[in-house]
Amino acid sequence: MRHRSFAAALSLSALLLPCRPAAAQTVAELQRQINELKALIQAQAASPRRGARPAVAASGPRRSDAGTRPAAGRPVESAVATLPAASTAKPVVKPLVFDEPSTWWDALVPPAPQPLTDRIAEPGRAKTWFERLSLRGYTQLRVNEFLSGDDTAPAGRARLRSVHDGGISDRNNFTFRRVRLVLQGDIHERLFLYIQPDFAVNVSNQSGGEPRGNFTQLRDAFADVYLDDERRTKLRFGQQKVPYGWENLQSSQNRLTLDRSHAINSAIPGERDIGVTAYYTPRHVQRIWDRLAAGGQKLFGNYGAFGLGVYNGQTINRVEQNKDLMVAGMATWPFELDALGPIFAGQVVEVGASAYRNRFQPEIRAGGVSPVAFDDRRVGLHAILYPQPFGLQAEWNWGRGPEFDPVRRLIETTPLSGGYVQAMVKVDHSPVGPFMPYARLQTYDGGWKVATNAPRLDTDEVEVGVEFQPIKALEITLAYARMKRREADERRLGRAEGHLFRGQLQVNY
């Protein structure tokens, strides 16, 4: 290397220095010229570049601190992003230093352009849209296998089917239950955006009636407007979850059981509607929820300790059919049980209630939507003892809603009731990673208003299972269920029974 450096320096000195006859130059003179050239190059490299800014102490937050939140819980920056004016300084060419090791491609390939986020990352600079928004999601792959039971039945008799999982049939193997992507972020210190599509929705083939899968459907599209600096009070606008039922508000990404219960979900199938909701969360309630979330508990999501809203009332992705608005509200409150003694240290129990009133017009077999709007109202209670390590969860609701009468052959408003009780154990450390075994008993007797002609569901079911999490991004749920239920089709009578093995692999990203 030294020989090559010496040869290069010798060649450059021959080009840059005044030419003399070769015979007149001694070795000592040549060595002196090389030393002078090295000193000149080192001086140029050490001097500040033309047009470069002097180093000063940053008065604003560092780049790595951009996006951190003060105690008030909101971003420091404003929502308007301004790019700096283009620099007029001439580019500085880095001199070639001969005694540094290099390769041929170092001289041929130009340096990579500086990333835009680094070029505009200055103290006090507002974030751009791509720095404020984040993308996440999850995918659920399922398999359902009949161990025994009514997987098929003659015409007019109920088959064992599920209103929540179309993969329960005599022909299916693997199905996608959900493929979700969530785009979310603070686009202003007082404005939060949330958009979630699902890429695994089933639709019907209109010409032949054969269902087709893996279509895209909008699930959520809302904006939160915060009314205070601490983000305890907010208004939510758009398509969103209706605050009714603790389990309905809990994300399917976090829920322990494979499906929601019929009794609670039949109130708001799809859990969502278009409307406006006001939420309020006291500071000490948020503190309890934050502690539970840090401990790995499966929360219902921050929908406020109190929520009250108005909505169209026809449920998710359905056109509004009347001028009447659905009004729904929910209150939930966590209590720390430490004062009861050492055995309750760290334990939290949460209790609450929810209710709604609505006028609903179901689709009818003859085509279109019923011209009659039926009374649709409920009230429900919930209680959760968070598993540390043992936990209990229960919900129950009562009300009235549309239901098809097979004797009179018409839809009418009838009473309904039902709920579930669930027990679970949370094990944080084991050779296979964290896992949670559970058992749930559910029952429901009432209408399923979003199916054609609002058929009656009569469900009794026991499910036991376990969720494993070998790595944080991967969850595996294995479950056994003994089902006894009516099919959601008013043309099929009776109840079907069966024993099923069910499995789900969920990938979080």
Side-chain angles (χ1 to χ4, degrees):
M1 178 63 70
R2 290 193 175 187
H3 293 295
R4 289 197 296 269
S5 299
F6 178 79
L10 184 60
S11 302
L12 186 58
S13 64
L15 295 175
L16 299 179
L17 298 179
C19 297
R20 296 184 184 178
Q25 280 188 312
T26 65
V27 175
E29 290 177 344
L30 185 59
Q31 182 63 48
R32 179 180 57 79
Q33 293 173 0
I34 294 174
N35 293 338
E36 291 176 355
L37 181 61
K38 286 185 177 181
L40 178 62
I41 293 174
Q42 292 175 356
Q44 287 181 342
S47 64
R49 295 181 298 170
R50 182 183 303 172
R53 297 182 180 179
V56 296
S59 59
R62 295 177 298 174
R63 176 69 185 89
S64 59
D65 295 334
T68 58
R69 300 179 182 275
R74 58 187 177 91
V76 177
E77 302 86 0
S78 107
V80 181
T82 304
L83 296 177
S87 175
T88 58
K90 295 181 179 180
V92 178
V93 179
K94 182 180 178 181
L96 181 62
V97 181
F98 293 105
D99 55 358
E100 291 184 355
S102 61
T103 57
W104 61 271
W105 57 81
D106 292 328
L108 296 179
V109 179
Q114 190 178 9
L116 177 62
T117 54
D118 292 338
R119 293 202 302 271
I120 63 179
E122 298 176 359
R125 177 189 62 80
K127 287 185 177 181
T128 55
W129 66 267
F130 51 82
E131 293 175 288
R132 290 184 175 273
L133 298 180
S134 63
L135 187 66
R136 64 176 180 84
Y138 64 102
T139 296
Q140 293 176 343
L141 177 66
R142 283 195 185 174
V143 61
N144 299 289
E145 187 67 31
F146 274 88
L147 302 178
S148 63
D150 302 321
D151 55 341
T152 62
R157 298 297 301 175
R159 302 163 298 178
L160 191 58
R161 298 293 185 266
S162 172
V163 294
H164 290 123
D165 188 353
I168 297 180
S169 76
D170 58 318
R171 299 180 181 180
N172 264 331
N173 291 311
F174 296 103
T175 57
F176 281 123
R177 180 62 185 90
R178 294 173 179 88
V179 180
R180 302 278 178 89
L181 282 178
V182 177
L183 181 69
Q184 67 177 46
D186 294 311
I187 58 178
H188 185 270
E189 57 190 14
R190 290 291 183 92
L191 187 61
F192 172 80
L193 179 69
Y194 187 99
I195 299 175
Q196 178 180 221
D198 189 351
F199 298 91
V201 175
N202 294 331
V203 299
S204 295
N205 175 11
Q206 295 180 357
S207 62
E210 177 191 1
R212 303 292 173 87
N214 302 332
F215 281 76
T216 302
Q217 181 191 74
L218 181 66
R219 302 296 292 182
D220 299 277
F222 61 80
D224 287 344
V225 178
Y226 297 99
L227 304 183
D228 58 71
D229 290 342
E230 295 185 347
R231 296 191 167 198
R232 295 203 302 267
T233 307
K234 64 185 177 184
L235 294 177
R236 176 166 293 178
F237 300 87
Q239 182 158 293
Q240 56 185 290
K241 286 188 175 180
V242 176
Y244 180 85
W246 194 93
E247 185 186 51
N248 264 15
L249 293 178
Q250 186 181 40
S251 170
S252 297
Q253 186 176 15
N254 297 331
R255 190 180 60 252
L256 185 57
T257 56
L258 292 179
D259 295 315
R260 292 181 173 91
S261 65
H262 288 179
I264 306 303
N265 192 245
S266 58
I268 320 287
E271 305 88 53
R272 296 162 173 88
D273 209 330
I274 296 178
V276 182
T277 313
Y279 289 109
Y280 173 69
T281 307
R283 183 183 295 109
H284 70 281
V285 171
Q286 187 62 56
R287 176 185 58 81
I288 296 175
W289 285 342
D290 289 343
R291 178 172 69 82
L292 292 172
Q297 295 293 335
K298 294 180 177 291
L299 303 180
F300 79 129
N302 189 354
Y303 288 90
F306 303 96
L308 179 65
V310 292
Y311 316 89
N312 283 339
Q314 286 296 113
T315 71
I316 185 171
N317 296 328
R318 291 175 178 242
V319 178
E320 173 65 337
Q321 298 295 329
N322 53 65
K323 286 290 187 179
D324 193 80
L325 288 174
M326 168 190 273
V327 180
M330 178 174 172
T332 187
W333 200 267
F335 295 90
E336 295 178 303
L337 304 182
D338 302 72
L340 298 180
I343 191 174
F344 294 100
Q347 296 283 348
V348 175
V349 63
E350 184 171 329
V351 297
S354 52
Y356 77 87
R357 63 154 299 276
N358 186 31
R359 300 284 291 175
F360 188 83
Q361 295 176 236
E363 296 179 354
I364 58 178
R365 185 69 60 185
V369 177
S370 168
V372 179
F374 296 91
D375 188 33
D376 177 27
R377 60 182 65 198
R378 299 192 191 193
V379 61
L381 302 174
H382 66 264
I384 301 96
L385 173 66
Y386 288 95
Q388 301 185 80
F390 176 76
L392 290 172
Q393 180 176 324
E395 291 190 75
W396 215 269
N397 72 166
W398 306 263
R400 294 174 59 83
E403 179 185 319
F404 185 81
D405 186 339
V407 177
R408 301 177 62 191
R409 308 297 297 175
L410 52 80
I411 303 173
E412 57 185 1
T413 300
T414 61
L416 56 85
S417 65
Y420 70 91
V421 178
Q422 178 177 308
M424 55 274 194
V425 178
K426 185 173 182 290
V427 180
D428 292 324
H429 304 286
S430 78
V432 295
F435 68 93
M436 291 184 68
Y438 69 90
R440 181 182 70 171
L441 170 65
Q442 69 158 314
T443 182
Y444 174 61
D445 188 2
W448 184 254
K449 63 186 179 184
V450 296
T452 302
N453 270 356
R456 176 189 175 194
L457 295 184
D458 187 2
T459 302
D460 290 297
E461 179 177 307
V462 175
E463 179 181 344
V464 294
V466 60
E467 177 194 278
F468 297 92
Q469 194 170 14
I471 58 176
K472 192 173 183 60
L474 184 67
E475 297 178 15
I476 301 172
T477 303
L478 304 176
Y480 159 80
R482 181 185 65 79
M483 299 180 177
K484 182 183 291 187
R485 54 174 64 170
R486 283 181 180 267
E487 187 173 351
D489 187 334
E490 86 287 357
R491 299 166 300 181
R492 292 181 174 268
L493 304 178
R495 290 211 295 176
E497 299 184 31
H499 300 259
L500 275 73
F501 165 79
R502 312 182 69 195
Q504 175 178 283
L505 183 144
Q506 176 174 302
V507 180
N508 305 310
Y509 38 85

